Amino acid sequence: VCGREVADKQHGAASSLFHSGHAALIAGARLLLVEDNEINRLVAKELLEKAGVAVTVAENGEEALALLREEKFDGVLMDMQMPVMDGVVTTREIRNNPQLAGLPVIAITANVMSGDREQCLAAGMNDHIAKPFDPEQMVEVLARWIVPARPQAPTAAANRESTPDEALPVLPGAQVDEAVRRLGGS
């Protein structure tokens, strides 16, 4: 109650957001993020921007296809389940367009069973990223498929020490450090 035990156990967030050089490989990329959930969009966009990626957002497959007709992207992060047009249908439409057939499309989904992954690949997606996002895993998968048309040096934020103003609290049953890491230290 007085905080003595908690104060002895407090510790900071992970020392840096991206531990490997994967963020440097995707810095400067332009990605289309297709996600209907506002919180997932916010988390993914912030993580990607910290890796030096420019992000354009679409809330469903129909919006994504319209943006792909108007702009050039280095890749697409595609949610599977969305209203209007889901990720599977949208990816099939992308693959049927000769100008977009080689564009990397990576699923971002909470559906992590092997059958879900197979469904993504069968639709023409290149890979699969599970939700909740793991920042390091996300940039690792992206580095496998995304080649920025205009590469840039990674931002200082991608490798900067994450030092919160206050130590993180210890909450019984909660992995506070892991949650803060997955949210990019935010």
Side-chain angles (χ1 to χ4, degrees):
V1 173
C2 294
R4 288 185 194 162
E5 185 179 328
V6 172
D8 291 341
K9 292 182 180 177
Q10 288 179 333
H11 49 283
S15 62
S16 66
L17 183 55
F18 305 115
H19 300 289
S20 70
H22 294 119
L25 298 173
I26 62 171
R30 290 194 69 234
L31 295 183
L32 177 59
L33 171 64
V34 189
E35 169 65 65
D36 66 317
N37 181 280
E38 182 179 2
I39 293 171
N40 289 337
R41 279 194 311 267
L42 177 67
V43 171
K45 188 171 189 288
E46 284 187 13
L47 290 173
L48 292 166
E49 287 173 346
K50 286 181 181 184
V53 174
V55 181
T56 300
V57 175
E59 294 186 22
N60 59 60
E62 201 171 85
E63 286 181 19
L65 292 173
L67 284 166
L68 287 167
R69 283 189 290 272
E70 297 170 13
E71 299 179 44
K72 290 251 184 225
F73 294 96
D74 297 312
V76 179
L77 284 172
M78 181 78 67
D79 187 18
M80 293 294 293
Q81 298 176 337
M82 296 176 289
V84 183
M85 183 182 287
D86 71 22
V88 171
V89 173
T90 305
T91 301
R92 287 186 179 134
E93 290 290 322
I94 290 169
R95 294 298 176 235
N96 287 332
N97 181 332
Q99 288 89 16
L100 302 174
L103 182 68
V105 178
I106 299 163
I108 51 170
T109 181
N111 301 339
V112 294
M113 303 296 285
S114 62
D116 299 320
R117 181 175 169 78
E118 291 167 7
Q119 182 183 18
C120 295
L121 298 176
M125 294 183 186
N126 299 84
D127 215 324
H128 180 276
I129 297 171
K131 294 177 193 172
F133 307 116
D134 178 300
E136 187 63 31
Q137 189 242 353
M138 177 185 276
V139 296
E140 181 181 329
V141 170
L142 291 174
R144 220 179 287 147
W145 299 102
I146 304 300
V147 178
R150 295 186 184 113
Q152 296 176 353
T155 62
N159 298 312
R160 182 178 62 224
E161 290 292 315
S162 174
T163 312
D165 294 323
E166 298 178 22
L168 297 175
V170 175
L171 302 173
Q175 297 174 334
V176 178
D177 280 351
E178 180 65 11
V180 171
R181 185 186 70 77
R182 284 182 180 262
L183 293 171
S186 176

